PDB file of all heavy atoms in Angstrom:
ATOM      1  N   PHE A  57      24.582  -4.105   1.949  1.00  0.00           N
ATOM      2  CA  PHE A  57      24.285  -3.012   1.024  1.00  0.00           C
ATOM      3  C   PHE A  57      25.613  -2.459   0.526  1.00  0.00           C
ATOM      4  O   PHE A  57      26.312  -1.779   1.243  1.00  0.00           O
ATOM      5  CB  PHE A  57      23.477  -1.934   1.750  1.00  0.00           C
ATOM      6  CG  PHE A  57      23.114  -0.774   0.885  1.00  0.00           C
ATOM      7  CD1 PHE A  57      22.197  -0.928  -0.144  1.00  0.00           C
ATOM      8  CD2 PHE A  57      23.683   0.467   1.090  1.00  0.00           C
ATOM      9  CE1 PHE A  57      21.863   0.146  -0.948  1.00  0.00           C
ATOM     10  CE2 PHE A  57      23.355   1.546   0.292  1.00  0.00           C
ATOM     11  CZ  PHE A  57      22.449   1.382  -0.729  1.00  0.00           C
ATOM     12  N   HIS A  58      25.965  -2.740  -0.665  1.00  0.00           N
ATOM     13  CA  HIS A  58      27.286  -2.549  -1.276  1.00  0.00           C
ATOM     14  C   HIS A  58      28.444  -2.607  -0.258  1.00  0.00           C
ATOM     15  O   HIS A  58      29.255  -1.713  -0.120  1.00  0.00           O
ATOM     16  CB  HIS A  58      27.352  -1.392  -2.264  1.00  0.00           C
ATOM     17  CG  HIS A  58      27.164   0.018  -1.824  1.00  0.00           C
ATOM     18  ND1 HIS A  58      27.750   0.572  -0.729  1.00  0.00           N
ATOM     19  CD2 HIS A  58      26.489   1.029  -2.420  1.00  0.00           C
ATOM     20  CE1 HIS A  58      27.443   1.841  -0.666  1.00  0.00           C
ATOM     21  NE2 HIS A  58      26.676   2.144  -1.663  1.00  0.00           N
ATOM     22  N   HIS A 112      19.684  10.963  -7.865  1.00  0.00           N
ATOM     23  CA  HIS A 112      20.978  10.265  -7.755  1.00  0.00           C
ATOM     24  C   HIS A 112      20.854   8.991  -8.580  1.00  0.00           C
ATOM     25  O   HIS A 112      19.901   8.224  -8.400  1.00  0.00           O
ATOM     26  CB  HIS A 112      21.228   9.979  -6.271  1.00  0.00           C
ATOM     27  CG  HIS A 112      22.415   9.157  -5.931  1.00  0.00           C
ATOM     28  ND1 HIS A 112      23.543   9.086  -6.714  1.00  0.00           N
ATOM     29  CD2 HIS A 112      22.649   8.346  -4.854  1.00  0.00           C
ATOM     30  CE1 HIS A 112      24.414   8.275  -6.134  1.00  0.00           C
ATOM     31  NE2 HIS A 112      23.893   7.808  -5.017  1.00  0.00           N
ATOM     32  N   GLU A 114      22.699   6.285  -8.766  1.00  0.00           N
ATOM     33  CA  GLU A 114      23.144   4.965  -8.300  1.00  0.00           C
ATOM     34  C   GLU A 114      21.954   4.005  -8.405  1.00  0.00           C
ATOM     35  O   GLU A 114      20.792   4.393  -8.268  1.00  0.00           O
ATOM     36  CB  GLU A 114      23.675   5.034  -6.856  1.00  0.00           C
ATOM     37  CG  GLU A 114      24.421   3.768  -6.478  1.00  0.00           C
ATOM     38  CD  GLU A 114      25.257   3.898  -5.187  1.00  0.00           C
ATOM     39  OE1 GLU A 114      25.179   4.941  -4.514  1.00  0.00           O
ATOM     40  OE2 GLU A 114      25.995   2.935  -4.868  1.00  0.00           O
ATOM     41  N   ASP A 116      20.428   1.783  -6.774  1.00  0.00           N
ATOM     42  CA  ASP A 116      19.360   1.597  -5.781  1.00  0.00           C
ATOM     43  C   ASP A 116      18.273   2.664  -5.917  1.00  0.00           C
ATOM     44  O   ASP A 116      17.182   2.506  -5.368  1.00  0.00           O
ATOM     45  CB  ASP A 116      19.911   1.560  -4.345  1.00  0.00           C
ATOM     46  CG  ASP A 116      20.815   2.714  -4.005  1.00  0.00           C
ATOM     47  OD1 ASP A 116      21.535   3.209  -4.886  1.00  0.00           O
ATOM     48  OD2 ASP A 116      20.822   3.137  -2.829  1.00  0.00           O
ATOM     49  N   HIS A 117      18.566   3.743  -6.656  1.00  0.00           N
ATOM     50  CA  HIS A 117      17.554   4.788  -6.858  1.00  0.00           C
ATOM     51  C   HIS A 117      17.100   4.899  -8.303  1.00  0.00           C
ATOM     52  O   HIS A 117      15.989   5.359  -8.560  1.00  0.00           O
ATOM     53  CB  HIS A 117      18.090   6.149  -6.387  1.00  0.00           C
ATOM     54  CG  HIS A 117      18.605   6.104  -4.989  1.00  0.00           C
ATOM     55  ND1 HIS A 117      17.795   5.836  -3.910  1.00  0.00           N
ATOM     56  CD2 HIS A 117      19.854   6.233  -4.483  1.00  0.00           C
ATOM     57  CE1 HIS A 117      18.522   5.805  -2.813  1.00  0.00           C
ATOM     58  NE2 HIS A 117      19.780   6.036  -3.130  1.00  0.00           N
ATOM     59  N   HIS A 178      25.880  11.303  -2.237  1.00  0.00           N
ATOM     60  CA  HIS A 178      26.971  10.379  -2.052  1.00  0.00           C
ATOM     61  C   HIS A 178      27.875  10.212  -3.271  1.00  0.00           C
ATOM     62  O   HIS A 178      29.003   9.740  -3.166  1.00  0.00           O
ATOM     63  CB  HIS A 178      26.286   9.061  -1.641  1.00  0.00           C
ATOM     64  CG  HIS A 178      26.966   7.785  -1.765  1.00  0.00           C
ATOM     65  ND1 HIS A 178      26.415   6.668  -2.310  1.00  0.00           N
ATOM     66  CD2 HIS A 178      28.212   7.437  -1.365  1.00  0.00           C
ATOM     67  CE1 HIS A 178      27.248   5.663  -2.240  1.00  0.00           C
ATOM     68  NE2 HIS A 178      28.336   6.110  -1.674  1.00  0.00           N
ATOM     69  N   TRP A 179      27.388  10.582  -4.455  1.00  0.00           N
ATOM     70  CA  TRP A 179      28.149  10.496  -5.700  1.00  0.00           C
ATOM     71  C   TRP A 179      28.239  11.897  -6.312  1.00  0.00           C
ATOM     72  O   TRP A 179      27.543  12.815  -5.859  1.00  0.00           O
ATOM     73  CB  TRP A 179      27.449   9.523  -6.678  1.00  0.00           C
ATOM     74  CG  TRP A 179      27.762   8.064  -6.499  1.00  0.00           C
ATOM     75  CD1 TRP A 179      28.413   7.475  -5.452  1.00  0.00           C
ATOM     76  CD2 TRP A 179      27.432   7.002  -7.409  1.00  0.00           C
ATOM     77  NE1 TRP A 179      28.504   6.114  -5.666  1.00  0.00           N
ATOM     78  CE2 TRP A 179      27.912   5.801  -6.859  1.00  0.00           C
ATOM     79  CE3 TRP A 179      26.772   6.940  -8.639  1.00  0.00           C
ATOM     80  CZ2 TRP A 179      27.752   4.557  -7.483  1.00  0.00           C
ATOM     81  CZ3 TRP A 179      26.618   5.715  -9.268  1.00  0.00           C
ATOM     82  CH2 TRP A 179      27.110   4.537  -8.702  1.00  0.00           C
ATOM     83  N   ASN A 196      17.311  12.348  -0.762  1.00  0.00           N
ATOM     84  CA  ASN A 196      18.015  11.194  -1.319  1.00  0.00           C
ATOM     85  C   ASN A 196      18.882  10.503  -0.262  1.00  0.00           C
ATOM     86  O   ASN A 196      18.406  10.213   0.820  1.00  0.00           O
ATOM     87  CB  ASN A 196      18.789  11.563  -2.584  1.00  0.00           C
ATOM     88  CG  ASN A 196      19.139  10.314  -3.371  1.00  0.00           C
ATOM     89  OD1 ASN A 196      20.238   9.804  -3.252  1.00  0.00           O
ATOM     90  ND2 ASN A 196      18.195   9.778  -4.129  1.00  0.00           N
ATOM     91  N   ASP A 197      20.177  10.219  -0.543  1.00  0.00           N
ATOM     92  CA  ASP A 197      20.989   9.459   0.424  1.00  0.00           C
ATOM     93  C   ASP A 197      21.194  10.219   1.746  1.00  0.00           C
ATOM     94  O   ASP A 197      21.347   9.588   2.808  1.00  0.00           O
ATOM     95  CB  ASP A 197      22.369   9.143  -0.164  1.00  0.00           C
ATOM     96  CG  ASP A 197      22.355   7.903  -1.055  1.00  0.00           C
ATOM     97  OD1 ASP A 197      21.421   7.096  -0.948  1.00  0.00           O
ATOM     98  OD2 ASP A 197      23.298   7.757  -1.862  1.00  0.00           O
ATOM     99  N   TYR A 225      24.771   4.060   8.981  1.00  0.00           N
ATOM    100  CA  TYR A 225      24.739   4.436   7.570  1.00  0.00           C
ATOM    101  C   TYR A 225      25.793   5.521   7.301  1.00  0.00           C
ATOM    102  O   TYR A 225      26.551   5.448   6.337  1.00  0.00           O
ATOM    103  CB  TYR A 225      23.338   4.953   7.234  1.00  0.00           C
ATOM    104  CG  TYR A 225      23.115   5.316   5.795  1.00  0.00           C
ATOM    105  CD1 TYR A 225      22.656   4.371   4.878  1.00  0.00           C
ATOM    106  CD2 TYR A 225      23.338   6.610   5.336  1.00  0.00           C
ATOM    107  CE1 TYR A 225      22.440   4.706   3.555  1.00  0.00           C
ATOM    108  CE2 TYR A 225      23.131   6.954   4.016  1.00  0.00           C
ATOM    109  CZ  TYR A 225      22.675   5.991   3.135  1.00  0.00           C
ATOM    110  OH  TYR A 225      22.464   6.338   1.822  1.00  0.00           O
ATOM    111  N   HIS A 256      16.267   6.443   1.787  1.00  0.00           N
ATOM    112  CA  HIS A 256      16.389   5.200   2.560  1.00  0.00           C
ATOM    113  C   HIS A 256      15.798   5.439   3.959  1.00  0.00           C
ATOM    114  O   HIS A 256      16.120   6.450   4.604  1.00  0.00           O
ATOM    115  CB  HIS A 256      17.848   4.795   2.752  1.00  0.00           C
ATOM    116  CG  HIS A 256      18.574   4.471   1.472  1.00  0.00           C
ATOM    117  ND1 HIS A 256      18.287   3.375   0.708  1.00  0.00           N
ATOM    118  CD2 HIS A 256      19.591   5.112   0.850  1.00  0.00           C
ATOM    119  CE1 HIS A 256      19.091   3.348  -0.348  1.00  0.00           C
ATOM    120  NE2 HIS A 256      19.895   4.394  -0.285  1.00  0.00           N
TER     121      HIS A 256
HETATM  122 FE1  FEO B 548      21.388   5.079  -1.931  1.00  0.00          FE
HETATM  123 FE2  FEO B 548      24.266   6.357  -3.216  1.00  0.00          FE
HETATM  124  O1  FEO B 548      22.765   5.288  -3.189  1.00  0.00           O
END
Side-chain angles (χ1 to χ4, degrees):
F57 180 69
H58 65 46
H112 174 27
E114 193 166 6
D116 51 327
H117 307 296
H178 160 227
W179 276 12
N196 198 263
D197 277 341
Y225 183 90
H256 296 292

